[in-house]
Amino acid sequence: MYYNYGNIHLSKKEFKNTIQYDNVDYLITPLNEQKKGSKGGNSNVFKLLNPQTDDEFIIKFSKYNVNKPNNPENIISRIARFSREVEALKLSDDLELDNIIQFYFDDYKDIGSSRFHFYVMEKADYDLTQYLDENDITNQQRLLLCTDILNGIKQLHDNDIYHRDIKPDNILFVNKTWKIGDLGLIENRNSEFHIKEIGEKIGPIGWLSPEATNKYLNEGEGKANVFGFDCNIDKFSDVFQLGKLFWYIFQGNIPLGQIERGDFKLTDDEIYDIIFEMLRHSKNRPTIEDIEEGFKSRYSFYGL
């Protein structure tokens, strides 16, 4: 492996693309055979093979060198964020949260004089986007899918963890179970994982909650936030992102702007009302438990 232009790359010599852990020499391979590179915002992701068992995993590297002296503050924050993600996955594993992607181990890899933090997790069969693109499912199945995802976020919230990066790419199907992945932007209600995020864009474009946008536009040097806009990204921010995700699951687009009943094509007014409440601009949104009860009230209608 080698590091160039801010990313970790695989070497053409396969024997260099390895890590050793617990007396096993793992082989690192491309995540996508058609696209050999692996570029991400703050990480590089590859497949990991155990040659002794042929088991495949996913390995995720932070792309920031922890050995570099005098890293600027924004890089220090990104290194801390990656460590926070690892700690959240370890906690999820310790608590046996079955709707959260399974964590296996983490360590550091030296590439030249640089050192990079990585962790290994289970490999998904596919993500939500691929599943919906390739399958024509019923509204009954869509409701069950939303319920499974809700259960995953509820497991995090029950342990005071907010995901803050809910989007189709982070909803993964593993061994017949839908799981929540990519905890890179998580926050803990008790600030056990707290890092400085003033003025940062927290979340994916197109899926940002109003308060995440407020944070980006109204926090930081030279920004007075004279109207006192809410910049706190919390459990109700997850609810907003879930509302967008559920809308996407039911009809394949995402709600933007001032939505009306006619924008939602499903004839079920009750499901529309649940999602509409989740998408409120203010945090007067339903709790996870409210949404759960609302979905359950529609089970008999869908023969569940």
Side-chain angles (χ1 to χ4, degrees):
M1 303 184 79
Y2 65 97
Y3 184 70
N4 195 23
Y5 293 108
N7 283 284
I8 297 169
H9 304 270
L10 295 180
S11 171
K12 292 181 180 179
K13 298 178 180 179
E14 287 190 357
F15 69 89
K16 291 188 175 183
N17 303 324
T18 60
I19 61 165
Q20 186 180 73
Y21 186 83
D22 199 18
N23 296 320
V24 176
D25 290 313
Y26 292 88
L27 179 64
I28 304 170
T29 64
L31 188 63
N32 186 326
E33 289 298 334
Q34 285 71 45
K35 187 177 180 182
K36 300 291 185 179
S38 174
K39 293 183 179 180
N42 295 300
S43 59
N44 294 123
V45 181
F46 305 94
K47 279 195 297 187
L48 190 69
L49 174 68
N50 182 340
Q52 298 177 7
T53 63
D54 286 334
D55 289 331
E56 288 186 332
F57 309 92
I58 295 297
I59 184 167
K60 182 174 181 179
F61 287 89
S62 168
K63 61 167 62 174
Y64 301 109
N65 174 18
V66 299
N67 277 352
K68 185 177 181 180
N70 302 318
N71 268 319
E73 186 173 339
N74 67 316
I75 300 302
I76 293 173
S77 292
R78 281 161 175 75
I79 291 172
R81 179 177 288 168
F82 192 86
S83 296
R84 179 174 65 170
E85 179 178 5
V86 171
E87 291 306 310
L89 285 167
K90 287 180 179 178
L91 176 62
S92 299
D93 195 52
D94 290 343
L95 295 171
E96 298 182 349
L97 305 185
D98 53 6
N99 285 113
I100 309 302
I101 204 75
Q102 185 177 352
F103 169 87
Y104 290 107
F105 62 87
D106 73 303
D107 208 336
Y108 291 85
K109 181 172 178 62
D110 294 326
I111 302 177
S113 60
S114 301
R115 169 167 279 205
F116 301 92
H117 196 181
F118 70 82
Y119 72 83
V120 174
M121 59 183 162
E122 62 186 333
K123 180 178 177 291
D125 302 310
Y126 42 77
D127 64 25
L128 180 61
T129 301
Q130 181 182 354
Y131 175 74
L132 293 177
D133 285 346
E134 296 179 358
N135 295 275
D136 184 16
I137 61 176
T138 65
N139 287 329
Q140 178 192 63
Q141 291 171 304
R142 295 178 197 275
L143 179 57
L144 286 174
L145 174 54
C146 290
T147 302
D148 286 345
I149 295 167
L150 188 70
N151 287 339
I153 298 300
K154 185 174 186 294
Q155 287 183 350
L156 291 175
H157 284 198
D158 285 346
N159 290 281
D160 297 327
I161 297 173
Y162 313 140
H163 192 281
R164 310 195 304 170
D165 193 18
I166 300 170
K167 59 183 179 181
D169 294 354
N170 292 339
I171 310 299
L172 306 171
F173 191 75
V174 187
N175 296 327
K176 300 181 180 180
T177 302
W178 285 103
K179 297 191 177 188
I180 309 300
D182 199 344
L183 304 188
L185 294 183
I186 62 96
E187 179 60 287
N188 188 279
R189 187 183 69 178
N190 300 318
S191 296
E192 293 176 15
F193 302 109
H194 181 71
I195 58 174
K196 189 175 181 180
E197 295 175 332
I198 292 176
E200 288 195 44
K201 180 177 71 64
I202 308 298
I205 294 175
W207 301 87
L208 292 174
S209 65
E211 46 275 18
T213 304
N214 289 342
K215 185 178 189 68
Y216 181 62
L217 295 176
N218 291 279
E219 275 192 347
E221 187 176 353
K223 298 178 182 179
N225 192 11
V226 293
F227 295 106
F229 292 124
D230 184 357
C231 301
N232 183 34
I233 308 171
D234 58 16
K235 64 181 180 180
F236 289 107
S237 307
D238 278 359
V239 167
F240 184 90
Q241 289 187 315
L242 278 174
K244 284 201 163 192
L245 186 72
F246 293 164
W247 184 293
Y248 168 77
I249 288 171
F250 276 108
Q251 65 179 47
N253 68 342
I254 59 175
L256 296 171
Q258 187 171 346
I259 60 174
E260 300 176 348
R261 177 64 185 90
D263 299 321
F264 192 64
K265 305 308 177 185
L266 187 68
T267 57
D268 189 331
D269 289 337
E270 285 81 358
I271 293 294
Y272 169 77
D273 288 342
I274 293 169
I275 295 177
F276 181 82
E277 293 296 318
M278 296 171 73
L279 294 171
R280 284 187 175 276
H281 190 274
S282 71
K283 283 185 179 171
N284 187 25
R285 303 168 193 144
T287 64
I288 295 290
E289 291 74 19
D290 293 333
I291 303 162
E292 191 174 41
E293 288 303 311
F295 282 169
K296 286 180 179 178
S297 73
R298 303 306 296 151
Y299 281 3
S300 59
F301 179 82
Y302 289 96
L304 299 172

